[in-house]
Amino acid sequence: MGFEQEALQSLRDTVHGNKSAMWHQVEGAGKGEPFVLRHLLKHGTQTPSRLAEALHASSGRISALLGSMEKKGYVTRKIDDHDRRNILVSLTPKGTAQAEHDRDDIDSVVRWIFSQMGERRTREFVDLAQEFMTYMSVCKPGAPRPTAEEVNKAFAVKREQDDKQQILDK
């Protein structure tokens, strides 16, 4: 077995075998109510169809989620004044507070983990994770592996994004 297969198996074992309560919370943030709260917090008012697209969910699933969230007082749905065929979904102050609480809670734990790892190892981890995700961005299951040109282009785009972010951070 080559190092690639060993690394893949180790990664699988780590991800699937050590699911802590924290991991379940992070994983849950990528679907359902936590995802909708986070998405609305980041992107503002949305139509249900845009939420369905972002969540990769059916309109029925989004409708059920929004109904539940509306009952909890997290969102409101209203008819678009400019196009009465559209419904607009917005966070309420309670929904905003919940989304910010969820985000801050996860962020606090991850910052603590990074403090335990130390600055050097954290920076290495983040750099490697970004590199890994850049490679992932050009791979599609069942498709031929990307060419060197496609990989180089993906890394060039990543460098451009990083450069723009550095300018914004200044």
Side-chain angles (χ1 to χ4, degrees), residues 47-62:
T47 62
S49 60
R50 302 261 329 245
L51 290 170
E53 186 179 299
L55 189 57
H56 304 290
S58 68
S59 59
R61 171 76 174 124
I62 291 298

Side-chain angles (χ1 to χ4, degrees), residues 30-93:
K31 53 189 167 194
E33 289 184 15
F35 175 86
V36 172
L37 287 171
R38 191 176 70 243
H39 189 79
L40 290 171
L41 183 65
K42 184 174 182 177
H43 299 286
T45 299
Q46 302 276 297
T47 62
S49 60
R50 302 261 329 245
L51 290 170
E53 186 179 299
L55 189 57
H56 304 290
S58 68
S59 59
R61 171 76 174 124
I62 291 298
S63 182
L65 269 173
L66 294 177
S68 171
M69 294 173 74
E70 204 167 26
K71 285 179 187 170
K72 293 176 183 176
Y74 292 159
V75 299
T76 59
R77 291 186 275 189
K78 72 172 206 153
I79 295 173
D80 185 345
D81 292 335
H82 302 298
D83 184 348
R84 299 192 56 77
R85 296 171 295 174
N86 286 330
I87 302 291
L88 299 175
V89 181
S90 300
L91 284 176
T92 63

Side-chain angles (χ1 to χ4, degrees), residues 45-155:
T45 299
Q46 302 276 297
T47 62
S49 60
R50 302 261 329 245
L51 290 170
E53 186 179 299
L55 189 57
H56 304 290
S58 68
S59 59
R61 171 76 174 124
I62 291 298
S63 182
L65 269 173
L66 294 177
S68 171
M69 294 173 74
E70 204 167 26
K71 285 179 187 170
K72 293 176 183 176
Y74 292 159
V75 299
T76 59
R77 291 186 275 189
K78 72 172 206 153
I79 295 173
D80 185 345
D81 292 335
H82 302 298
D83 184 348
R84 299 192 56 77
R85 296 171 295 174
N86 286 330
I87 302 291
L88 299 175
V89 181
S90 300
L91 284 176
T92 63
K94 183 177 179 181
T96 299
Q98 184 63 48
E100 289 172 343
H101 173 270
D102 292 349
R103 179 199 59 210
D104 293 347
D105 193 31
I106 290 171
D107 287 358
S108 174
V109 171
V110 173
R111 280 193 305 272
W112 178 84
I113 292 168
F114 287 157
S115 76
Q116 301 306 296
M117 291 172 60
E119 183 176 356
R120 181 187 58 78
R121 292 180 65 219
T122 296
R123 289 187 188 282
E124 288 173 0
F125 170 78
V126 170
D127 287 345
L128 289 169
Q130 290 173 340
E131 181 179 350
F132 183 85
M133 294 310 295
T134 302
Y135 279 111
M136 289 284 288
S137 74
V138 294
C139 292
K140 293 169 185 59
R145 297 298 166 253
T147 64
E149 183 179 313
E150 291 168 321
V151 170
N152 290 337
K153 182 177 177 185
F155 278 95

